[in-house]
Amino acid sequence: MVNTNIDRETLRALADEGNETALDRLADLADAAGDLEELSELLDEGSMRAGLLLTRRAVTTGDLRELQRISDAGYDAAGNELNRLLKGPVGEEVD
């Protein structure tokens, strides 16, 4: 198996030409770097992989507003997670 180290510029060029695999790879790299801004931009470009990665992060932190934003950007699974969390058990109210 050939080990290739593909640079971001090449991935970006391929993604700009419509290559979804390159777009997914950019999302994975942004996620590994913790670059939420780039992930959000990739989601705006239509990367469902970025939507998945952002949704996982938002569920982990319980960020309902972020889940709504991700859902509004076109990643439907974020809306499903948002609904699941909203329908979950309500904690005890503290006065």
Side-chain angles (χ1 to χ4, degrees):
M1 181 173 209
V2 176
N3 183 10
T4 56
N5 188 10
I6 304 168
D7 64 83
R8 283 181 180 267
E9 288 180 29
T10 301
L11 289 171
R12 171 47 55 200
L14 291 170
D16 288 347
E17 292 174 10
N19 186 308
E20 289 185 32
T21 304
L23 198 59
D24 290 348
R25 185 89 177 258
L26 284 171
D28 288 335
L29 291 172
D31 184 58
D35 190 340
L36 300 180
E37 185 177 330
E38 183 177 1
L39 275 174
S40 292
E41 290 171 5
L42 291 167
L43 174 62
D44 291 342
E45 290 178 41
S47 171
M48 294 299 103
R49 178 75 180 160
L52 169 69
L53 297 169
L54 286 166
T55 297
R56 285 183 183 169
R57 287 174 177 268
V59 167
T60 299
T61 61
D63 191 339
L64 302 180
R65 288 184 174 142
E66 179 65 2
L67 286 170
Q68 182 66 58
R69 187 196 71 76
I70 297 165
S71 177
D72 290 346
Y75 187 68
D76 294 336
N80 297 337
E81 288 296 326
L82 175 61
N83 288 332
R84 182 184 64 79
L85 291 172
L86 289 173
K87 291 178 182 177
V90 177
E92 301 226 355
E93 298 283 327
V94 179
D95 291 294

